[in-house]
Amino acid sequence: MSRAVPHGPVLPVAAVLAALALPLAPGGGAGPADVVSGVVVLYCTVRLLRARRRPLTPVAAVVLGLPVTGFALAALAASSPAAAFAGLGRYLQVFVLVPAAVLLLIRDRADFRLLAWAFTGLGLWQGAVGTHQYLTGTGASYQGAQIRAVGTFGPGDVMGMATAVALGVVCAVGLALDRCGGARQRAVAAGCAAVLLVPLALSFSRGAWIATAVTCAAQLLLAGVRRALKAGLALAAAGVVLVGGLGVGTALLEQRFDSITQVAGAPDQSVRDRYALWTAALGIWREHPLTGVGLKNFPEYRDGHAPMALSAASDTEGAGAAFRRQPLLSPHDMYLLVLSEQGLSGLVAVAGSWLALLVCGVRRLLRERRRAPSAAGGPDCALVACGLLVWQLTDFVYGDIGGPSTVLTAVSFGLAAWWAVARHPVPGVDGRAEGVVTR
């Protein structure tokens, strides 16, 4: 069956990323991308009902459905029905419904690459806005100066632009390492990855820096040691030229880089707060080890387990927003958030699902490489999918879900799931994935 509209089914997923390019209204809450992601889930459901076919492989159903039990048990322990409904809905959106919809709407590698380029394009747009904020002093406040690049996300979601740019780097690196892609694609993708290093640095986000470095190293090693060395040297040279040679390496930026290795000796207030929140989360878990305290209940138990060093709120302003004290309502570690609110049973279910996706994705990459080392399609889908998952799992050590940029996490898990556990095309057939709806 020929396609009536190229990439038709996957265009609504691309619209989710496009919605994240829009300026957000102050005050938080659900953003345009959250609404569009809901439309994507509804659209996918209608397509499945029309097709009347089993949508997921058994492995995909188990892996994506595994966290649901933990979410449901934690919702029963929530402090109120409203908190239970909000928490359960958010977790299902990010880790089950949207990833499953993305998996089902991607038909082949061409659809996958479209979304990878959409991630890169979103990173370039947010990075351009963030760089302008830094150069003109119109960004979020950082040590008294309004220079922190936050893109269109504003100071209420300072990790938003960093996440978008970092995921753009991951996708661009994966596309650049495609050995079967055209020379123009590889060159453009490599150039995008190098350019995105500038706004990533200007985000002043240590967690995003660490996660991006770990992920790019993993992608390079999966692509081959020899290519890893060449690409690593080229990327390092580009970073030196763009970040240092163009004058981006200011004293504040250098201080931020140095602070990564000083968190154990003389941490700043943000690091002390994070340590205090981690301590509180572990204390909560020790008192409720099996099922946790329930969804959205971490703030209620935080002060009873946190040390006196916790400031309980952070100051945000700039980028068009007034001064505001933003309360610290989560431990800023996804694993500890799940552990404290859902207990050990919830963490095993959720982390087990993520680990299964990673193992299945890497195994499929290695299996395809053994089957056909130079097969059409190359490793780009694998390197992008595994890279997105590695980035999320690394970043979860320093952050958790929250804010409009969380939709990026949901789409990332969907791309990773498509590569890892979806039905895939048989070589020589028309390129569509067997069992995936094509109408």
Side-chain angles (χ1 to χ4, degrees):
M1 181 183 299
S2 61
R3 298 180 181 208
V5 179
H7 309 293
V10 84
L11 291 180
V13 183
V16 174
L17 303 179
L20 285 168
L22 301 175
L24 297 172
D34 291 293
V35 176
V36 178
S37 71
V39 174
V40 168
V41 173
L42 180 61
Y43 170 68
C44 181
T45 302
V46 172
R47 285 173 55 84
L48 293 178
L49 293 176
R50 289 181 57 195
R52 297 180 181 179
R53 301 172 69 176
R54 186 176 66 182
L56 298 173
T57 65
V59 174
V62 171
V63 171
L64 291 178
L66 187 60
V68 175
T69 303
F71 299 159
L73 290 175
L76 294 176
S79 58
S80 68
F85 181 79
L88 182 60
R90 188 61 157 170
Y91 275 102
L92 290 177
Q93 174 204 16
V94 176
F95 298 117
V96 180
L97 297 178
V98 174
V102 173
L103 181 157
L104 293 167
L105 291 174
I106 296 176
R107 295 179 295 181
D108 51 31
R109 295 174 189 259
D111 285 349
F112 187 100
R113 291 191 186 100
L114 173 68
L115 293 181
W117 280 111
F119 266 101
T120 304
L122 175 64
L124 289 169
W125 165 249
Q126 293 290 351
V129 175
T131 302
H132 178 267
Q133 290 169 337
Y134 174 84
L135 294 175
T136 59
T138 56
S141 177
Y142 178 77
Q143 294 191 7
Q146 295 188 355
I147 58 172
R148 187 168 190 173
V150 292
T152 64
F153 293 96
D157 186 9
V158 293
M159 280 296 297
M161 190 213 75
T163 299
V165 170
L167 295 179
V169 172
V170 170
C171 290
V173 169
L175 292 166
L177 291 173
D178 177 15
R179 61 175 175 267
C180 295
R184 178 177 299 178
Q185 172 187 286
R186 295 197 300 270
V188 172
C192 290
V195 169
L196 286 171
L197 294 178
V198 173
L200 180 62
L202 299 180
S203 70
F204 292 94
S205 174
R206 292 170 293 203
W209 296 344
I210 294 172
T212 304
V214 170
T215 302
C216 289
Q219 288 177 300
L220 292 172
L221 291 175
L222 287 173
V225 177
R226 182 181 302 177
R227 300 181 73 222
L229 292 175
K230 294 180 180 179
L233 290 174
L235 200 59
V240 170
V241 171
L242 291 172
V243 177
L246 297 182
V248 178
T250 64
L252 286 177
L253 185 58
E254 294 171 2
Q255 179 184 357
R256 190 70 166 177
F257 273 113
D258 292 341
S259 69
I260 295 177
T261 60
Q262 297 171 355
V263 293
D268 57 29
Q269 183 60 47
S270 65
V271 175
R272 286 195 293 269
D273 285 341
R274 186 158 300 183
Y275 287 164
L277 291 168
W278 290 357
T279 300
L282 290 172
I284 293 171
W285 168 69
R286 291 189 187 100
E287 290 189 359
H288 306 81
L290 187 58
T291 59
V293 296
L295 297 183
K296 298 284 187 177
N297 277 359
F298 176 82
E300 296 185 17
Y301 289 81
R302 180 199 64 192
D303 292 342
H305 297 83
M308 296 298 294
L310 179 64
S311 63
S314 60
D315 299 338
T316 62
E317 65 176 326
F323 176 83
R324 180 188 175 193
R325 291 279 289 172
Q326 187 165 333
L328 303 176
L329 301 179
S330 71
H332 292 280
D333 181 304
M334 191 65 205
Y335 304 104
L336 292 179
L337 177 62
V338 174
L339 189 64
S340 61
E341 293 189 343
Q342 302 179 37
L344 190 59
S345 60
L347 182 63
V348 169
V350 175
S353 172
W354 300 340
L355 181 61
L357 283 178
L358 183 60
V359 170
C360 290
V362 174
R363 284 183 59 188
R364 181 163 185 261
L365 166 62
L366 299 177
R367 185 169 62 249
E368 287 208 356
R369 181 173 292 169
R370 288 193 300 268
R371 178 182 60 80
S374 59
D380 59 330
C381 294
L383 295 178
V384 171
C386 294
L388 290 172
L389 190 55
V390 169
W391 192 94
Q392 293 292 346
L393 298 186
T394 305
D395 185 69
F396 279 166
V397 177
Y398 307 96
D400 47 50
I401 59 174
S405 60
T406 299
V407 181
L408 286 171
T409 299
V411 179
S412 297
F413 273 101
L415 267 68
W418 178 84
W419 172 260
V421 296
R423 295 183 179 95
H424 286 276
V426 177
V429 184
D430 62 359
R432 290 189 297 272
E434 177 188 353
V436 176
V437 179
T438 58
R439 292 192 295 175

